[in-house]
Each structure stands twice: as structure tokens, then as C-alpha cells.
Amino acid sequence: MKKRRRFSDFYLLLILILMYVPILLVIVYSFNASRLSSVWDGFSLRWYQELFRDRSMFQALRNSVVLGLLSSFAAAIIGTLAAAGMSRILPPGAKVMEYLSILPIMVPEIILGMVFLAFFSLLALPFGMVTLVIAHTAICVPYTYLLVKARIVGMDKSYVEAAKDLGAGETRAFYDITLPLVLPAIVSGMLISFAMSFDDVIISVFVTGVHTNTLPIKIYSQIKTGVTPKTNALCTLLFAATVVLATCSALVARSLTSDRSIKKT
């Protein structure tokens, strides 16, 4: 048992090192005065100053945030309604529709990018933010759908039946009973969708316009000329923002849990 525990602790430590040491190096070298990451030339805020003077980088960041919010919100609506509707379809039709719904997850992104490119060209849609939102919504819908569908399957059906017995219609029962119960799954799906949209490169390259640039594409295009420590500074700020948001989310969840326990007692 002791050997197994030691092995488990060593394995966990190895995973943590592989995950967080690269992030730590990015943070450290964002304060490096040298342009070369392999050479430490002293502490400096030079790259943060250059980052805040780079309007194109912040424009790309703004586009990525707007794109992530729009696509995750649209995916939440479509995925939630799809999950609610699919739960009423009987097999084998439900299985077929479910496989078709999660197909964008299984298809390689480069294939999806080419499909979207051909589809938008056929419709003569101008490439830009509109095509980006449509494409990202399509790839984000399955994440919300799967989470909400699992929540609906595990939900007690007697709540909805009781609401209907009291005179509530289908729409009223959905908004008053089903929606509050599946809301945590919707929020989780939106967070995953936002992360997938914010991080996407391959599909965005195929459907973006000349004047519309996202942050992943901006960073990817800089590889050709060499990534400067300014990118490290941007990654450090994004990591700090992620930590702050995750901490706030944990604190809010803990406060809600404590409030519920107090009310029960």
C-alpha cells in the first residue's frame, strides 16, 4: 500500500510539473529584458509596455472575446432547446439525432474548416465576424447539448408532471421547472464553449475575413516572423484573469452552498 501511495504521489507530482512548469516559464520570461527567452537579461516591464501600445493585439483580443461570448450564448440557446426536444423523441430516432448532433466534435477541425469555407462561399456570405460566429456556434453546440441532455436525463420527471397537473403548460413548465434545474449545465456548457471558441485557430483561419483578426490567429501569424516576449506578457495577463475568474466562481459557489445549508437547517 505504501509503494502504491508513493507511486500515486510521484505520478501526481509529475503531472503537475508537466502542466504548470511551462506556464511558470512563460510568466517568468514575460519580465525578461532580453528578447531571447533563452537568455535572462534582468527584470523589466518592457514587454508589458509594448503590449499596451500594440493596438492590433488588443483589437484581436476584443474580437476573440466578442466572438466567444456570441458563439457560447447562441450555442447555449440552441443546445438547450435541442436537448429538451431530443429528450421527448423515442429510440431509435433519438439515437440517430443524438449522433448527428455531436458529429462536429468527432469530425477533424480542418475538415470542418473546409466545409464552412465551401458553404459560406456558396451562400456568398462576406467572411468576417458573422461567418466566425456561425462556424464557432456550430462547433460549440454539442458541448452544451451533451451537458444539458445529461442533466435532463437525471432529472426527476415528477416535478414537470406536478407542474402540469397544477395547470402549467409546456412552456410554463419548461421555464419554471426544467430551466432552473438545468441552469448549472447550461452555464458549464457556455464556459466550455467560450474556451473552445477563444482557443480555436484552424476553423477561424478558413472563415475569417481580411479585416477581422482573432487573438489565436494573431499569435499564430507571428510565428512566421518570431514570437516576441510581448506574447508572453499577454499570456501572463490572460492566465491571471483566468485565475481571478476561477477564484471568484469558486467563492460564489461556496457562498451559495453555505446559504442553502443555512436555509435547510
Side-chain angles (χ1 to χ4, degrees):
M1 292 295 294
K2 291 182 178 180
K3 291 183 179 180
R4 290 182 179 179
R5 188 169 184 178
R6 290 177 181 176
F7 177 77
S8 300
D9 295 339
F10 174 76
Y11 181 76
L12 178 60
L13 179 62
L14 180 62
I15 294 298
L16 292 176
I17 290 175
L18 293 177
M19 289 177 59
Y20 291 103
V21 166
I23 298 176
L24 181 61
L25 291 177
V26 169
I27 296 174
V28 170
Y29 281 103
S30 67
F31 298 100
N32 187 14
S34 175
R35 185 182 181 88
L36 301 176
S37 298
S38 58
V39 178
W40 179 261
D41 197 22
F43 181 86
S44 176
L45 296 176
R46 165 191 174 188
W47 304 111
Y48 287 90
Q49 295 173 353
E50 292 195 11
L51 174 64
F52 284 102
R53 287 197 295 263
D54 191 346
R55 294 184 178 180
S56 61
M57 186 70 76
F58 279 94
Q59 179 67 27
L61 175 61
R62 186 186 70 85
N63 290 338
S64 294
V65 172
V66 172
L67 175 61
L69 292 175
L70 292 177
S71 59
S72 61
F73 184 74
I77 296 176
I78 298 174
T80 302
L81 295 178
M86 294 290 185
S87 61
R88 302 180 181 181
I89 300 178
L90 299 177
K95 288 294 182 181
V96 175
M97 295 299 295
E98 185 171 349
Y99 288 145
L100 293 176
S101 300
I102 63 176
L103 194 61
I105 298 179
M106 299 181 288
V107 177
E109 287 191 354
I110 190 169
I111 303 299
L112 287 176
M114 296 173 62
V115 170
F116 285 128
L117 175 63
F119 179 68
F120 294 144
S121 299
L122 181 64
L123 296 180
L125 283 176
F127 289 91
M129 184 58 72
V130 175
T131 54
L132 281 169
V133 171
I134 296 174
H136 282 214
T137 300
I139 64 175
C140 290
V141 165
Y143 298 100
T144 305
Y145 168 77
L146 290 175
L147 291 173
V148 176
K149 179 68 179 299
R151 183 73 173 179
I152 291 178
V153 170
M155 188 177 65
D156 191 352
K157 303 297 188 299
S158 61
Y159 295 145
V160 178
E161 294 175 357
K164 292 181 179 179
D165 291 339
L166 294 175
E170 291 288 343
T171 305
R172 184 65 181 272
F174 175 78
Y175 281 106
D176 290 346
I177 306 299
T178 305
L179 187 60
L181 292 176
V182 302
L183 187 59
I186 298 175
V187 174
S188 300
M190 290 184 65
L191 292 176
I192 296 176
S193 299
F194 181 84
M196 296 298 297
S197 174
F198 191 87
D199 191 52
D200 182 77
V201 177
I202 300 177
I203 295 178
S204 299
V205 169
F206 282 93
V207 300
T208 189
V210 178
H211 303 291
T212 304
N213 207 4
T214 62
L215 185 61
I217 296 178
K218 177 73 174 178
I219 296 176
Y220 179 75
S221 62
Q222 289 182 347
I223 297 178
K224 301 177 182 179
T225 58
V227 178
T228 65
K230 181 171 58 176
T231 306
N232 294 340
L234 177 62
C235 294
T236 301
L237 294 178
L238 292 177
F239 178 74
T242 303
V243 171
V244 171
L245 291 176
T247 304
C248 294
S249 176
L251 292 175
V252 171
R254 181 180 299 179
S255 63
L256 291 176
T257 304
S258 62
D259 291 342
R260 289 175 182 175
S261 62
I262 292 174
K263 290 179 180 179
K264 288 181 180 180
T265 55

